[in-house]
Amino acid sequence: MSSKTILLLLAAIGLVACQQEPAVTAQQQNELQQEAASIIKQFAGTLKPKLKQALGEGGPEHAIKVCSVEAPALTKQLSAKTGWSIKRVSLKARNHNTAMPDAWEKDVLQQFDRDQEAGIDPAGMKASRVEGDSFRFMKAQATGPVCLLCHGQDISPDLRATLKKHYPDDSATGYKLGQIRGAFSLSKPL
């Protein structure tokens, strides 16, 4: 093989590598982070009122039904509307089909836990990166007072039975107020 052919092959490989790892400027990364944060706010702003309404109408058992049906539907709707892939992940997943973290998400969740142990407020915890041809973003999700009804340490036997019915492999209990119970994880093709 001639040196010219080798140089052409190396150049082609370099071009392929550049195409696989799009360059994202700091400004673009900031804009993507803001867009992702806005989607999370929209998700939470839509789901929380539905959960509170369900709690008022039928208690925690009714809220579980809303969460098991409405949250995935909302995720799908927002994903279609925004072009972002949206999910919630946890080290202690409630729904093992949709909430199990991949390797990067697991590392970030573990870092969030370490940061919280060091006294950092979960409200500001986020992480992002360019991976292949996608931008990925995660934001910590802390356990609020309402969350404790179904994710806390003192769950009634009836409620545990309802959780088991909807989430047979549930491990998302035992949390304390303010503890990180997972994260929103979003990705967008670049």
Side-chain angles (χ1 to χ4, degrees), residues 35-92:
E35 187 178 343
S38 173
I39 293 166
I40 292 167
K41 202 174 205 179
Q42 189 176 356
F43 178 89
T46 303
L47 187 61
K48 276 185 185 180
K50 289 181 180 192
L51 285 174
K52 287 183 180 182
Q53 181 181 355
L55 282 168
E57 291 174 352
E61 287 84 1
H62 187 56
I64 290 169
K65 291 176 189 172
V66 168
C67 206
S68 68
V69 174
E70 300 268 346
L74 179 58
T75 300
K76 189 175 182 178
Q77 177 188 11
L78 280 174
S79 291
K81 178 182 170 184
T82 64
W84 287 77
S85 171
I86 305 162
K87 63 181 182 171
R88 295 180 296 166
V89 294
S90 178
L91 296 173
K92 292 171 49 175

Side-chain angles (χ1 to χ4, degrees), residues 137-158:
F137 179 84
M138 287 180 66
K139 183 174 184 344
Q141 186 177 23
T143 305
V146 173
C147 306
L148 291 173
L149 293 170
C150 299
H151 292 281
Q153 297 175 336
D154 299 317
I155 300 173
S156 73
D158 289 343

Side-chain angles (χ1 to χ4, degrees), residues 50-186:
K50 289 181 180 192
L51 285 174
K52 287 183 180 182
Q53 181 181 355
L55 282 168
E57 291 174 352
E61 287 84 1
H62 187 56
I64 290 169
K65 291 176 189 172
V66 168
C67 206
S68 68
V69 174
E70 300 268 346
L74 179 58
T75 300
K76 189 175 182 178
Q77 177 188 11
L78 280 174
S79 291
K81 178 182 170 184
T82 64
W84 287 77
S85 171
I86 305 162
K87 63 181 182 171
R88 295 180 296 166
V89 294
S90 178
L91 296 173
K92 292 171 49 175
R94 173 146 284 168
N95 185 338
H96 289 249
N97 294 324
T98 60
M100 295 300 292
D102 63 23
W104 180 70
E105 291 165 333
K106 184 177 178 181
D107 288 344
V108 171
L109 287 166
Q110 290 170 337
Q111 185 61 53
F112 285 167
D113 284 345
R114 287 189 296 273
D115 289 347
Q116 187 173 35
E117 287 174 13
I120 298 172
D121 183 1
M125 290 183 196
K126 60 185 179 181
S128 64
R129 76 185 234 176
V130 174
E131 181 179 279
D133 62 352
S134 295
F135 179 79
R136 299 189 68 185
F137 179 84
M138 287 180 66
K139 183 174 184 344
Q141 186 177 23
T143 305
V146 173
C147 306
L148 291 173
L149 293 170
C150 299
H151 292 281
Q153 297 175 336
D154 299 317
I155 300 173
S156 73
D158 289 343
L159 190 55
R160 282 194 187 276
T162 302
L163 284 169
K164 190 77 170 163
K165 178 181 166 189
H166 289 276
Y167 305 104
D169 299 318
D170 180 27
S171 59
T173 60
Y175 290 101
K176 298 176 185 172
L177 184 64
Q179 186 177 9
I180 296 170
R181 65 181 172 87
F184 293 97
S185 181
L186 289 76

